[in-house]
Amino acid sequence: MGKVLITQKRSTIKRPKNQQKTIVALGLGKINKSVEKELNPSIEGMIKTVNHLVEVKEL
């Protein structure tokens, strides 16, 4: 599978604990921080959980 660039665009304040933990597990935590990840089913599931907080671009 390909790689994706995940950028946090919104805060996790007043979000459920599972969404906060997912953001940390992706390696994010601050607005406008970006990480590059290999796209696999587990990363896809994490992105779906917090899709309203992040922006995803394929590389």
Side-chain angles (χ1 to χ4, degrees):
M1 297 191 147
K3 290 192 172 221
V4 291
L5 183 69
I6 307 166
T7 305
Q8 184 175 348
K9 289 297 180 182
R10 300 195 65 196
S11 173
T12 56
I13 295 173
K14 292 192 178 180
R15 300 289 177 186
K17 286 289 182 193
N18 69 325
Q19 291 178 11
Q20 292 177 6
K21 289 181 180 182
T22 302
I23 289 288
V24 172
L26 284 169
L28 302 170
K30 293 188 177 189
I31 295 175
N32 289 326
K33 184 172 181 183
S34 297
V35 291
E36 188 176 311
K37 296 283 184 180
E38 188 72 33
L39 190 60
N40 58 45
S42 64
I43 297 296
E44 283 183 34
M46 294 169 104
I47 290 170
K48 285 181 184 177
T49 302
V50 294
N51 65 348
H52 56 290
L53 301 176
V54 298
E55 182 179 283
V56 181
K57 291 183 185 176
E58 285 194 39
L59 300 177

